[in-house]
């Protein structure tokens, strides 16, 4: 497992009985996590000192139960990057801290390339990967279907003093955007994909990652340049093991370009137990 170990402003204090106790800066939150199936005793006194807990509803979704006053938003840093954190109605705070292990990888690959690199970041959320790549000198096209989320990403760029970096902010359906880029002849040296496990189309149709991921990755392989650097595919879907994702990248991107394909879980350390909480998987194709 690849573990994000370099956080100073974030940590998981404990994890038990479907919940994790986390510090986001100085703010202590309790959030649900279905992977936490163990029911170890919640002996750490910080469980009783959380500022808020997200409680799921039996009807879907959920809401925050605030025990103390919590700011509408606050900031945390990861190395040179600054992120604006906000408790949302979907349990999220606007950041997936485990992705820091990928941000570090992207930065190193871009810096080591020794040439201009164009990155396409799809389902780009609030811009962690976008800012990491831009800070390493890449030009980045940041694409997400949510106007509000793209605005949040731009806030993070401004907070990180990176509003003048060469970043294109695009609000669009990722698959449709890639198809248009291919028709326009635009190419990218690196692609990052972080698609959701589930989604709904404008007509209410259900989008499931397992049913669409191969065609989506295959399409994105066609937007790569003649000398690509890497292709990263993230998944939080428990049904997609790292081995399945590695195979998928191998028969799509790896079929077109010579390089190395690998995949592994990514995770975060849990202070109380000393173990690592798995938080999804990343498959990588990388040039030799």
């Amino acid at each position: 497992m690849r573990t994000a170990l370099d956080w100073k402003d974030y940590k998981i204090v404990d994890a038990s009985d479907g919940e994790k106790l986390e510090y986001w800066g100085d703010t202590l939150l309790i959030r649900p996590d279905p992977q936490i199936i163990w029911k170890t005793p919640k002996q750490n006194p910080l469980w009783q000192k959380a500022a808020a807990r997200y409680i799921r509803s039996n009807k879907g979704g959920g809401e925050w139960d605030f025990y103390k006053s919590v700011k509408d938003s606050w900031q945390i840093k990861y190395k040179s990057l600054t992120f604006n954190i906000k408790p949302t109605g979907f349990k999220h705070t606007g950041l997936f801290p485990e992705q820091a292990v990928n941000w570090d990888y992207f930065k190193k690959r871009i810096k080591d390339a020794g040439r201009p690199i164009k990155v396409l970041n799809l389902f780009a959320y609030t811009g962690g990967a976008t800012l990491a790549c831009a800070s390493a000198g890449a030009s980045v096209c940041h694409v997400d279907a949510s106007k509000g989320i793209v605005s949040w990403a731009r806030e993070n760029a401004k907070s990180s003093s990176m509003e003048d970096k060469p970043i294109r902010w695009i609000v669009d359906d990722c698959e449709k955007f890639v198809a248009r880029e291919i028709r326009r002849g635009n190419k990218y040296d690196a692609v990052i994909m972080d698609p959701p496990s589930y989604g709904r189309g404008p007509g209410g149709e259900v989008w499931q990652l397992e049913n669409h991921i191969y065609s989506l990755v295959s399409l994105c392989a066609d937007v790569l340049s003649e000398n690509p650097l890497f292709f990263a595919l993230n998944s939080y879907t428990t049904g997609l093991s790292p081995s399945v994702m590695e195979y998928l990248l191998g028969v799509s991107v790896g079929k077109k370009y010579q390089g190395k394909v690998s995949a592994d879980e990514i995770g975060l350390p849990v202070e109380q137990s000393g173990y690592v909480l798995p938080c999804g998987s990343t498959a990588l194709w990388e040039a030799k």
Side-chain angles (χ1 to χ4, degrees):
M1 185 183 298
R2 298 165 58 229
T3 307
L5 297 172
D6 293 340
W7 277 99
K8 306 296 184 187
D9 286 359
Y10 170 87
K11 71 176 175 180
I12 300 178
V13 178
D14 198 7
S16 178
D17 197 15
E19 294 182 315
K20 52 189 173 184
L21 177 66
E22 309 164 292
Y23 264 119
W24 295 85
D26 295 331
T27 303
L28 192 58
L29 301 177
I30 298 173
R31 295 192 301 152
D33 188 322
Q35 290 197 104
I36 303 173
I37 60 174
W38 49 91
K39 297 185 180 182
T40 49
K42 294 182 176 179
Q43 296 175 332
N44 194 310
L46 290 175
W47 282 103
Q48 308 303 319
K49 297 182 179 181
R53 169 185 256 133
Y54 188 86
I55 301 174
R56 287 195 180 278
S57 168
N58 294 331
K59 299 178 182 179
E63 62 182 5
W64 288 94
D65 190 359
F66 291 97
Y67 308 133
K68 301 176 182 178
S69 177
V70 175
K71 294 178 181 178
D72 290 339
S73 69
W74 64 96
Q75 293 183 338
I76 67 172
K77 294 182 69 69
Y78 181 76
K79 298 182 178 178
S80 65
L81 307 180
T82 301
F83 299 101
N84 296 281
I85 302 302
K86 308 171 190 177
T88 72
F90 300 98
K91 89 170 183 177
H92 298 303
T93 61
L95 201 65
F96 293 96
E98 66 276 4
Q99 287 295 330
V101 72
N102 285 330
W103 304 339
D104 291 342
Y105 166 83
F106 301 151
K107 288 177 67 173
K108 186 176 189 312
R109 289 291 298 188
I110 291 166
K111 286 181 177 179
D112 290 349
R115 58 185 171 96
I117 298 295
K118 288 178 61 181
V119 177
L120 177 61
N121 188 14
L122 301 170
F123 310 96
Y125 198 45
T126 58
T130 293
L131 299 184
C133 293
S135 70
S139 59
V140 186
C141 183
H142 174 112
V143 187
D144 198 282
S146 169
K147 183 178 180 180
I149 289 296
V150 173
S151 295
W152 194 339
R154 297 187 75 157
E155 288 176 16
N156 288 336
K158 184 175 182 179
S159 296
S160 299
S161 300
M162 295 177 61
E163 61 266 46
D164 295 329
K165 293 289 186 180
I167 302 172
R168 292 173 62 201
W169 305 101
I170 306 294
V171 179
D172 203 349
D173 176 271
C174 289
E175 187 170 1
K176 292 178 181 178
F177 178 79
V178 171
R180 286 198 300 273
E181 288 291 87
I182 292 170
R183 291 195 297 270
R184 289 188 285 243
N186 290 335
K187 299 291 184 178
Y188 296 87
D189 304 297
V191 172
I192 301 166
M193 290 178 55
D194 201 347
S197 297
Y198 299 96
R200 288 191 178 274
E205 63 273 18
V206 176
W207 188 91
Q208 286 187 290
L209 182 62
E210 297 96 322
N211 298 334
H212 294 83
I213 189 62
Y214 174 73
S215 60
L216 187 57
V217 171
S218 297
L219 176 68
C220 292
D222 291 336
V223 84
L224 286 171
S225 66
E226 294 182 0
N227 187 22
L229 189 62
F230 64 81
F231 191 116
L233 171 63
N234 290 310
S235 172
Y236 295 91
T237 304
T238 54
L240 287 178
S241 69
S243 296
V244 167
M245 293 168 62
E246 180 178 346
Y247 194 105
L248 192 154
L249 269 193
V251 297
S252 52
V253 180
K255 187 177 181 180
K256 290 191 65 175
Y257 301 94
Q258 288 197 351
K260 174 187 174 184
V261 180
S262 63
D264 206 346
E265 289 183 294
I266 58 175
L268 291 160
V270 179
E271 185 177 67
Q272 183 76 18
S273 67
Y275 292 108
V276 176
L277 179 67
C279 302
S281 303
T282 301
L284 289 166
W285 174 92
E286 49 192 324
K288 290 183 178 178

